[in-house]
Amino acid sequence: MSFAKAEDKSLIDTGLGMLLQSFAKQRPRLEGERKMARVYTLFRVSTVGQVDHDDIPMQRIACREFAQAQAGWEIVKELYEKGVSGYKVKTENRDAIMEIKADALAGKFDILLVFMFDRIGRISDETPFVVEWLIANNIRVWSALEGEQRIESHTDRLTNYIRYWQADGESQKISARTSNSMGVLTQE
């Protein structure tokens, strides 16, 4: 690089030097202030029977233990959906999911932690896109049992979609078994 005048070079050196000094002053403060990752947890059960059998406390214990084992994670909010079907109830009708999305936009948390990913939902043409939306809005999505859902490649998107397609299919089977059992009971 050539400079027309020696003065120009010294101005560049001075500007660069000031910038480097500014970074050097900030570095100790930034390194000393390791920010805790703010974690929201979501616990959901679909039926009153699951509420009665204490499935939510089991989910909560697993998520709390998982979060405690992660360096720098702090649970700042726990959200509960009791008796809310992740298969039949759309996202826009689920208060907890709508609150999570609003708080994500407001920058109130960094990680959404669930017991299993199907706690977010079981609708194959909706739930994968909720997860993608969260990740696109800088929210990391974790399951205490299944790890982190990333969307860094085409394969990640496919895996994300397949996960909720499978959960949707499981819900269809449960619904068919329940309907069939009820039909048999009413015939007897």
Side-chain angles (χ1 to χ4, degrees):
M1 182 176 217
S2 65
F3 297 96
K5 299 179 187 173
E7 297 168 17
D8 293 339
K9 184 177 183 312
S10 66
L11 287 175
I12 291 170
D13 288 343
T14 304
L16 181 59
M18 288 172 48
L19 184 62
L20 291 173
Q21 285 177 345
S22 172
F23 285 135
K25 288 178 185 173
Q26 289 178 4
R27 175 183 259 153
R29 182 179 54 115
L30 294 174
E31 288 176 358
E33 287 182 18
R34 293 234 187 254
K35 182 180 157 186
M36 294 290 284
R38 300 161 299 162
V39 179
Y40 273 25
T41 56
L42 172 65
F43 311 115
R44 181 184 65 77
V45 293
S46 301
T47 66
V48 175
Q50 289 173 305
V51 172
D52 292 342
H53 289 103
D54 287 338
D55 281 2
I56 284 186
M58 177 271 305
Q59 292 178 36
R60 187 175 55 242
I61 290 166
C63 286
R64 285 179 178 175
E65 288 176 355
F66 184 83
Q68 287 173 351
Q70 309 308 309
W73 284 26
E74 178 184 13
I75 295 175
V76 295
K77 190 167 203 173
E78 294 181 331
L79 295 122
Y80 302 86
E81 292 184 308
K82 297 178 180 181
V84 176
S85 172
Y87 174 64
K88 296 177 183 174
V89 182
K90 292 278 198 185
T91 297
E92 66 263 11
N93 297 322
R94 293 177 56 196
D95 293 340
I97 296 291
M98 297 309 292
E99 183 176 348
I100 287 167
K101 290 178 86 172
D103 287 358
L105 288 175
K108 292 183 177 181
F109 69 107
D110 308 298
I111 297 170
L112 175 63
L113 174 62
V114 292
F115 176 65
M116 292 180 67
F117 286 119
D118 67 0
R119 301 300 82 200
I120 298 169
R122 290 176 168 257
I123 301 173
S124 64
D125 62 353
E126 178 183 73
T127 311
F129 305 108
V130 171
V131 172
E132 279 195 46
W133 183 91
L134 288 165
I135 293 169
N137 283 280
N138 300 312
I139 303 300
R140 296 172 60 200
V141 182
W142 279 82
S143 159
L145 295 184
E146 300 162 305
E148 183 175 16
Q149 176 61 60
R150 295 176 182 262
I151 306 291
E152 296 174 349
S153 68
H154 185 69
T155 303
D156 291 340
R157 279 192 181 81
L158 180 60
T159 302
N160 183 43
Y161 183 80
I162 289 171
R163 172 178 285 122
Y164 295 103
W165 171 79
Q166 180 182 9
D168 186 307
E170 289 172 13
S171 290
Q172 290 177 26
K173 289 180 202 174
I174 291 167
S175 181
R177 282 194 304 267
T178 304
S179 295
N180 188 38
S181 296
M182 295 307 267
V184 170
L185 289 174
T186 55
Q187 289 176 359
E188 293 179 354

